[in-house]
Amino acid sequence: MLAKAAEALGVAGADAATTGNVTIVAADGRSLADGEIAAAVSLHVEALPNAPLRQKSQFRTMGFNLPRLDIPAKTTGGKAFIQDMRLPGMLHARGIRGPSIGTRLELSPDTEIEAMDGVIKFVRNGDFAAVVSRRVNRSLVRVGVAERRSVDYLDTQSGDVRRQAAELLNSPIETIRAIHVEGAGCYEHNGADDVGAEAALIAASIPGKPIRLQWMRDQEFSWEPLGLGMVTEVEAAVDAGDRIVKWNYDVWSNPHNNRPVVAGGILVGNEVSQPFPLPEGKPIPMPEGGGSRNSNAL
C-alpha cells in the first residue's frame, strides 16, 4: 500500500508513511486515505521474501499498554451492551408462540387482543404473532426501526439478518441497515438471527417507532435453532507395549452449515402467510469441513 500511495502521490517510496489514523502521508504533507489506496491495490503480486520491517521505535500499538475503551462501562454497570440500549419513543414487543416447535396457539380475535390494557399493537402474519406495548421488559435483545427504511440493531452473534429482513419485508436490501452492537454472545448458533428478523417485521407494522423485541429464556430453549445429533463409533486396540495397533473411527453426521442466510432459514420465515422455502443443508468441503472434520482423529 505504501508503494501504491507513493506512486499516486508522485513521491519516492521512502517519502510516504502511515500515520495510524487510516491515512498515508507524503513528506510534503499531502495525504491519501487508506481506503482509497486499498481499493486500487491488486493482491495478485509476488510476496517479497525480504520485505522491510517497521522499526520498534515506530510502533504505535505493539508493546504498549493501551486502555480498553469498553471496560469501564462493563465493570461499573454502565451502558455497554445491546441490552442497555434505549431509543426515544421505544416500544416493547413479545412474540406469542406455543411451548415448542410444531405447536400452534388458538388466539383470540385481533381486535380483542388490541383492546387489552397496555397493548399498542397486535401483529399477526400467518402463524407469526406478537404484541407491542409501552411496558419495559427486563432485558433488551433487539431493536428494529421502520420508517422509509428498516434498521436492525444486532448483537455480535447474529448472521445475515439484513438479507433476511429484506426478504421478509419484500424490500430492496439497500433500504435495510444492520448495525452491530456488542452483546453477551454465545458459542455457535442461538436465536440471534431469528429475533433480529422478527424485530424488523414487527417494526414495519408501526412505522417510525423503535421496537425492542425480547425472547424470554423459555422461548429461547423451546424455539432456538437446533442441530441434529452426530453419532460416532470408535474401535481401537493396543499391544503389550500400549502402542495403538488398531483404530477405526466412524462418524454419521448431517451438514454443519445451517447458519441462515435467507428468510427461509429462520423461524419467522416459515411462519408468515407466504412462507419461504427451507434452504438445503449441504456438506462443507474439507479442510473446513463439518462432520468430515470431526472424523479426523487428533
Side-chain angles (χ1 to χ4, degrees), residues 174-245:
E174 295 77 17
T175 66
I176 307 294
R177 185 183 180 196
I179 302 174
H180 285 264
V181 181
E182 277 195 273
C186 73
Y187 180 76
E188 291 299 340
H189 195 183
N190 62 6
D193 305 88
D194 294 279
V195 185
E198 290 172 17
L201 184 63
I202 295 169
S205 67
I206 312 178
K209 289 292 185 181
I211 299 296
R212 170 187 176 233
L213 176 64
Q214 176 183 1
W215 269 22
M216 300 303 291
R217 187 182 299 272
D218 60 321
Q219 291 178 311
E220 178 84 22
F221 287 156
S222 300
W223 293 89
E224 68 178 338
L226 301 174
L228 296 176
M230 182 173 65
V231 176
T232 64
E233 287 187 3
V234 183
E235 183 181 4
V238 296
D239 61 13
D242 291 334
R243 291 171 299 188
I244 297 175
V245 294

